[in-house]
């Protein structure tokens, strides 16, 4: 690749956009021959649409959104050659709802893994009183946040499509909707749960790291067509982003990272709030966090089947292999030398069973039957 290649990459104001912000600010993109403009976007739908029409070359993206993009139109197919983070999201309820749940079941509220159990009791109580159902927000229908919220609710016997109302809300608007009483809770990525807590509006019931320790979340996404036309630029971007992720994981860099993310043109919240999730939650690079794992793609697809977003007859393996590209990640990572441990790059898949908070076993080779085994779901033939 000769000269500088101009790229425009999109992001949503969330802590897990860190790799893009760092790669730009620390000069990693430039050192790889890329002149990158970062574009702060308002919603995940905007990210998807702008990537598809070419207004963005690539973006910070919801992993399931990348998987779903080409299902109805192969021309919209995307690739996920890099995972951007593990953990960082949480389920938060209004302080008012939290107080009600504590009154109904204080023991359940003291045990984070079963905090949906007190909610199930309240849902039943409200049904008996003919009261309006509760409303919860998530960021996009095809998102870890939607599936985590649904999984948590359903594990306690709450049908997320009948017993509560789920609405889509862009991450930066979650807190305002909670403040206005338009929603009773939400599932969103950092720092917006912490913002709600700091403003006295919300209470975190369970974190993603408790729902699924080391669970997947965002990816770097590009269209398959763009990747085919711009292979050199993609490799360069992946190298820069992997370097940025390694830098962001270093505790000694966190003060600078917090300062970068808290800027108004990035996440735009108080530094102390940004810092909270970095201390113990979000992982960008270590433990092979950047490797786009096939079993993660298949788990996401199993949830699309479970909730009727795609038909059960869909070839899940074919979709996972087409979109998730660990080969591209490995090629870029290994070219960086000592920055990345080769043993980590070629890490085996995470254990199939017992990853989620309820200990239910997930076998990637049987993703469709896994989806069908849940008592609450919306599977289509």
């Amino acid at each position: 690749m000769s000269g500088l290649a101009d790229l425009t990459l999109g992001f949503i104001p969330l802590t897990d956009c860190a790799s893009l912000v760092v790669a730009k600010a620390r000069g990693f993109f430039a050192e790889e021959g890329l002149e990158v403009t970062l574009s702060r976007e308002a919603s995940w739908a905007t990210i998807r649409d702008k990537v598809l029409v070419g207004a963005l070359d690539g973006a910070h993206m919801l992993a399931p959104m990348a998987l779903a993009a080409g299902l109805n139109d192969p021309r919209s197919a995307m690739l996920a050659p890099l995972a951007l983070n593990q953990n960082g999201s949480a389920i938060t309820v209004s302080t008012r709802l939290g107080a009600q749940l504590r009154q109904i079941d204080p023991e359940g509220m003291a045990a984070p893994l079963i905090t949906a159990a007190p909610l199930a009791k309240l849902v039943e109580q409200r049904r008996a009183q003919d009261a309006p159902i509760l409303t919860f927000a998530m960021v996009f229908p095809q998102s870890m946040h939607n599936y985590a919220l649904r999984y948590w609710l359903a594990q306690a016997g709450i049908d997320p499509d009948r017993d509560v109302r789920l609405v889509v809300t862009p991450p930066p608007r979650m807190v305002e909707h909670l403040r206005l009483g338009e929603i009773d809770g939400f599932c969103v990525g950092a720092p917006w749960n912490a913002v709600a807590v700091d403003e006295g509006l919300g209470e975190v019931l369970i974190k993603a790291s408790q729902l699924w320790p080391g669970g997947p979340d965002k990816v770097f996404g590009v269209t398959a067509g763009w990747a085919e036309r711009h292979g050199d630029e993609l490799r360069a971007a992946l190298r820069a982003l992997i370097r940025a992720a390694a830098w962001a994981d270093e505790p000694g860099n966190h003060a600078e990272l917090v300062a970068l993310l808290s800027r108004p043109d990035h996440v735009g919240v108080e530094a102390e709030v940004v810092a909270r999730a970095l201390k113990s939650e979000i992982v960008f690079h270590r433990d092979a966090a950047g490797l786009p794992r096939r079993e993660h793609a298949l788990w996401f697809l199993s949830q699309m089947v479970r909730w009727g977003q795609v038909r059960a007859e869909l070839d899940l393996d074919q979709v996972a292999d087409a979109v998730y590209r660990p080969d591209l990640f490995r090629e870029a990572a290994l070219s960086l030398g000592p920055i990345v441990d080769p043993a980590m790059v070629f890490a085996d898949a995470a254990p199939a069973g017992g990853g989620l908070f309820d200990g239910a076993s997930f076998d990637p080779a049987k993703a469709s039957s896994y989806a069908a085994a849940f008592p609450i779901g919306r599977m289509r033939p």
Side-chain angles (χ1 to χ4, degrees):
M1 184 169 53
S2 60
L4 289 176
D6 293 332
L7 299 183
T8 301
L9 304 179
F11 72 96
I12 295 291
L14 291 158
T15 307
D16 53 34
C17 74
S19 295
L20 281 78
V21 169
V22 169
K24 168 74 173 178
R26 297 285 301 177
F28 298 148
F29 281 135
E31 290 172 8
E32 296 293 340
L34 301 175
E35 184 65 45
V36 170
T37 299
L38 295 182
S39 180
R40 189 179 194 263
E41 302 296 342
S43 70
W44 290 114
T46 303
I47 287 275
R48 176 200 58 195
D49 294 347
K50 284 191 172 184
V51 170
L52 289 178
V53 301
L56 295 172
D57 296 294
H60 170 224
M61 190 174 289
L62 297 163
M65 187 168 74
L67 288 162
L71 295 182
N72 295 322
D73 184 354
R75 293 172 298 180
S76 299
M78 291 190 186
L79 301 185
L82 173 69
L84 291 177
N85 69 295
Q86 297 173 351
N87 306 330
S89 301
I91 296 172
T92 294
V93 298
S94 69
T95 51
R96 180 174 178 270
L97 178 54
Q100 290 178 313
L101 296 176
R102 193 164 286 103
Q103 185 176 24
I104 289 173
D105 185 357
E107 291 184 2
M109 285 292 282
L113 296 185
I114 61 168
T115 43
L119 182 61
K121 294 177 182 178
L122 179 60
V123 165
E124 185 60 36
Q125 185 181 99
R126 291 174 68 91
R127 182 186 293 113
Q129 297 169 349
D130 201 26
I133 61 174
L134 298 168
T135 299
F136 290 85
M138 42 75 182
V139 302
F140 197 75
Q142 287 83 27
S143 68
M144 180 63 186
H145 313 77
N146 184 30
Y147 304 139
L149 181 59
R150 286 173 172 271
Y151 198 109
W152 177 75
L153 291 168
Q155 196 272 341
I158 301 170
D159 189 318
D161 294 312
R162 295 173 179 168
D163 297 331
V164 297
R165 185 168 72 104
L166 299 186
V167 297
V168 174
T169 302
R173 299 189 64 188
M174 291 285 189
V175 177
E176 183 62 21
H177 283 259
L178 196 67
R179 178 184 293 109
L180 295 174
E182 295 174 354
I183 58 176
D184 298 289
F186 55 69
C187 184
V188 71
W192 301 108
N193 298 285
V195 172
V197 171
D198 273 23
E199 294 188 13
L201 300 171
E203 174 181 349
V204 173
L205 294 191
I206 187 167
K207 300 175 181 178
S209 59
Q210 295 167 312
L211 280 165
W212 185 354
D217 200 329
K218 310 298 190 311
V219 296
F220 177 65
V222 299
T223 65
W226 188 92
E228 185 176 353
R229 296 189 303 272
H230 300 280
D232 289 340
E233 290 90 337
L234 178 57
R235 279 186 288 275
L238 292 177
R239 285 168 54 91
L241 290 168
I242 292 168
R243 293 174 64 193
W247 185 93
D249 255 1
E250 288 293 331
N253 297 329
H254 280 182
E256 185 177 346
L257 176 58
V258 167
L260 283 171
L261 291 174
S262 61
R263 282 170 34 179
D265 54 334
H266 294 148
V267 180
V269 301
E270 293 295 326
E272 181 183 342
V273 177
V274 173
R276 204 165 301 161
L278 293 176
K279 292 177 182 176
S280 60
E281 287 290 308
I282 300 181
V283 176
F284 301 109
H285 177 72
R286 65 181 183 274
D287 302 327
L291 181 66
R293 296 180 179 275
R294 186 174 186 272
E295 70 273 17
H296 288 168
L298 286 165
W299 188 85
F300 286 134
L301 289 163
S302 78
Q303 299 309 292
M304 293 183 198
V305 171
R306 177 184 180 181
W307 299 112
Q309 293 178 333
V310 297
R311 293 190 178 279
E313 63 188 19
L314 180 70
D315 188 332
L316 305 188
D317 293 293
Q318 183 180 55
V319 176
D321 290 338
V323 178
Y324 266 47
R325 296 292 302 274
D327 58 314
L328 297 177
F329 168 81
R330 287 170 172 145
E331 178 187 5
L334 289 174
S335 72
L336 291 170
I339 292 175
V340 177
D341 179 359
M344 182 189 76
V345 175
F346 289 97
D348 291 333
L356 274 75
F357 72 106
D358 62 348
S361 178
F362 172 62
D363 183 349
K366 301 176 181 178
S368 294
S369 57
Y370 169 81
F374 292 98
I376 298 177
R378 296 287 177 276
M379 282 188 66
R380 296 187 290 156

